[in-house]
């Protein structure tokens, strides 16, 4: 008697399901789709095979468009504040053949993917001679942490944070900006070598670094500010859906959160001045892209 072979069950996932399974944000999902994530378009609806998506993510390289979209320099400035070499040549009134030489001699520029971009003011500052005109700061630290700071003691610390993941080097970077006494700023960076298909890992690693700092400094109360809105309502990370290399970090973080839950309030960046364009958040974002181990340095808003 010939036995019938069992057919392999294939399940196409909905967009919301693949986002939940891979712990992606909607913005990450949209970026991946633009960069060629494999999917099926049935009518006007997306469907996904998780195995195909995971395989694609293993060799995924962000597109030039995405690198430019996510770019932030050390001052938190976006690519929109930079110009291309064509515009720079007209601004500085120099010849194309002179540009490479000026860059080699120290003229500031930013390499983003395969392209170079230039911040005109940085270049003017680099070449400026004579007395500079000094203008007062237009935005204080106190204004940047409004309105959350209005009904809390002045000495309550704020920790604004962000994470970044580099698919090429498999580095998960975190950036924290600590605000103490409503004015003192400290920038903190950290990095871990983690091969993961879920870049959101770097976001909760930033939370882990913040919790460790709260414990080390013995803060009795603190605000942690993240761009993950759901975490401001219910912060829970289930280790089951993550790779083995990530699980020890989740275990450590969950233990610290349980220990310090009464001291810590997690808030969404949208509750602060300018939301995700907030100066302090942009600094945290740029720090996370430095991928440096345990560095501390004072910051200023200029």
């Amino acid at each position: 008697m010939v036995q019938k072979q069992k057919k392999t069950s294939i399940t196409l996932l909905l967009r919301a399901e693949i986002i939940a399974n891979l712990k992606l944000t909607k913005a990450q999902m949209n970026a991946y789709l633009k960069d060629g994530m494999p999917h099926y378009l049935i009518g006007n609806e997306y469907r996904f095979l998780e195995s195909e998506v995971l395989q694609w993510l293993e060799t995924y390289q962000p597109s030039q468009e995405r690198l430019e979209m996510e770019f932030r320099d050390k001052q938190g400035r976006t690519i929109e504040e930079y110009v291309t070499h064509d515009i720079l040549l007209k601004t500085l009134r120099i010849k194309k053949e002179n540009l490479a030489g000026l860059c080699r001699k120290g003229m500031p520029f930013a390499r983003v993917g395969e392209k170079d971009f230039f911040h005109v003011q940085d270049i003017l500052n680099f070449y400026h001679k004579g007395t500079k005109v000094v203008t007062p700061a237009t935005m204080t630290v106190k204004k940047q942490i409004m309105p959350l700071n209005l009904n809390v003691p002045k000495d309550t610390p704020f920790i604004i944070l962000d994470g970044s993941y580099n698919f090429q080097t498999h580095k998960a970077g975190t950036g924290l900006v600590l605000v103490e006494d409503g004015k003192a700023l400290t920038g903190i960076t950290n990095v871990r070598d983690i091969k993961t298909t879920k870049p959101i890992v770097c976001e909760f690693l930033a939370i882990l670094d913040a919790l460790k700092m709260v414990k080390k400094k013995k803060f009795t109360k603190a605000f942690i500010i993240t761009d993950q809105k759901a975490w401001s309502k219910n912060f829970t990370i289930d280790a089951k859906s993550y790779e083995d290399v990530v699980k020890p970090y989740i275990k450590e973080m969950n233990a610290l959160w349980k220990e310090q839950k009464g001291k810590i309030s997690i808030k969404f960046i949208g509750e602060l001045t300018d939301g995700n364009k907030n100066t302090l958040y942009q600094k945290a974002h740029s720090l996370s892209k430095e991928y440096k181990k345990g560095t501390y340095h004072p910051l200023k808003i200029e």
Side-chain angles (χ1 to χ4, degrees):
M1 183 175 180
V2 180
Q3 291 184 343
K4 293 183 179 180
Q5 291 183 343
K6 293 183 178 179
K7 293 183 179 180
T8 303
S9 176
I10 297 177
T11 302
L12 290 174
L13 300 182
L14 302 174
R15 185 184 181 118
E17 291 172 330
I18 200 73
I19 287 175
N21 286 4
L22 300 185
K23 306 292 184 183
L24 303 176
T25 64
K26 290 182 179 179
Q28 287 171 330
M29 185 65 177
N30 291 335
Y32 288 164
L33 287 170
K34 288 181 180 179
D35 288 351
M37 175 190 278
H39 63 278
Y40 301 86
L41 194 59
I42 301 176
N44 293 322
E45 297 183 353
Y46 287 91
R47 298 291 186 271
F48 304 86
L49 276 178
E50 186 168 2
S51 59
E52 286 185 346
V53 173
L54 291 174
Q55 186 177 2
W56 180 80
L57 284 172
E58 287 181 2
T59 57
Y60 167 68
Q61 301 262 347
S63 66
Q64 180 68 30
E65 180 183 2
R66 186 178 181 199
L67 289 172
E68 292 178 20
M69 179 181 67
E70 294 185 345
F71 171 77
R72 297 290 187 283
D73 64 15
K74 292 183 179 180
Q75 286 74 47
R77 299 173 302 195
T78 67
I79 204 70
E80 293 178 355
E81 299 181 60
Y82 281 69
V83 300
T84 62
H85 69 278
D86 290 334
I87 296 176
L88 185 71
L89 295 177
K90 294 179 181 179
T91 302
L92 300 184
R93 304 182 73 173
I94 59 175
K95 295 181 179 180
K96 185 177 181 179
E97 52 266 29
N98 295 333
L99 184 57
L102 292 173
C103 290
R104 286 195 298 270
K105 292 179 180 179
M107 186 178 76
F109 69 96
R111 171 62 59 85
V112 182
E114 298 179 352
K115 296 181 181 180
D116 293 334
F117 293 87
F118 306 86
H119 195 284
V120 173
Q121 189 59 56
D122 286 351
I123 293 172
L124 294 178
N125 290 341
F126 182 77
Y127 289 113
H128 192 278
K129 303 297 181 183
T131 303
K132 289 188 177 182
V133 177
V134 180
T135 57
T138 58
M139 185 63 75
T140 65
V141 174
K142 184 178 179 180
K143 288 182 180 179
Q144 286 294 311
I145 55 177
M146 289 180 65
L148 292 180
N149 62 338
L150 295 178
N151 297 314
V152 299
K154 182 180 178 181
D155 59 352
T156 301
F158 283 71
I159 306 168
I160 299 92
L161 52 81
D162 196 25
S164 296
Y165 189 72
N166 189 313
F167 282 95
Q168 295 176 317
T169 61
H170 305 299
K171 291 188 181 296
T174 63
L176 279 64
V177 173
L178 171 63
V179 182
E180 295 181 273
D181 298 321
K183 57 183 179 180
L185 295 178
T186 304
I188 304 102
T189 68
N190 203 0
V191 65
R192 297 169 177 88
D193 293 313
I194 297 176
K195 191 171 183 179
T196 179
T197 60
K198 302 175 181 180
I200 198 172
V201 164
C202 63
E203 302 291 347
F204 65 67
L205 287 176
I207 298 280
L208 171 59
D209 287 342
L211 293 173
K212 291 170 74 172
M213 183 171 62
V214 168
K215 184 174 182 178
K216 181 179 179 181
K217 287 183 169 288
K218 299 180 180 180
F219 290 144
T220 57
K221 184 177 178 61
F223 282 98
I224 290 177
I225 315 297
T226 175
D227 64 357
Q228 301 298 309
K229 189 173 184 179
W231 292 352
S232 65
K233 299 176 182 178
N234 181 28
F235 181 64
T236 55
I237 303 295
D238 185 0
K240 294 179 182 178
S241 59
Y242 290 90
E243 299 94 338
D244 289 343
V245 69
V246 179
K247 291 178 180 178
Y249 296 108
I250 298 177
K251 183 178 179 181
E252 181 183 11
M253 182 186 60
N254 286 340
L256 279 173
W257 174 245
K258 184 177 180 181
E259 177 185 330
Q260 302 183 67
K261 190 173 181 180
K263 303 177 183 178
I264 309 297
S265 294
I266 296 180
K267 299 292 184 180
F268 176 51
I269 188 63
E271 297 183 56
L272 290 188
T273 301
D274 296 329
N276 60 10
K277 294 183 180 180
N278 180 279
T279 299
L280 302 181
Y281 171 72
Q282 295 297 341
K283 286 184 179 291
H285 180 81
S286 62
L287 288 169
S288 73
K289 286 184 170 291
E290 291 187 8
Y291 302 108
K292 292 181 180 178
K293 187 74 173 179
T295 64
Y296 289 71
H297 47 84
L299 297 175
K300 290 184 179 179
I301 292 183
E302 297 179 353

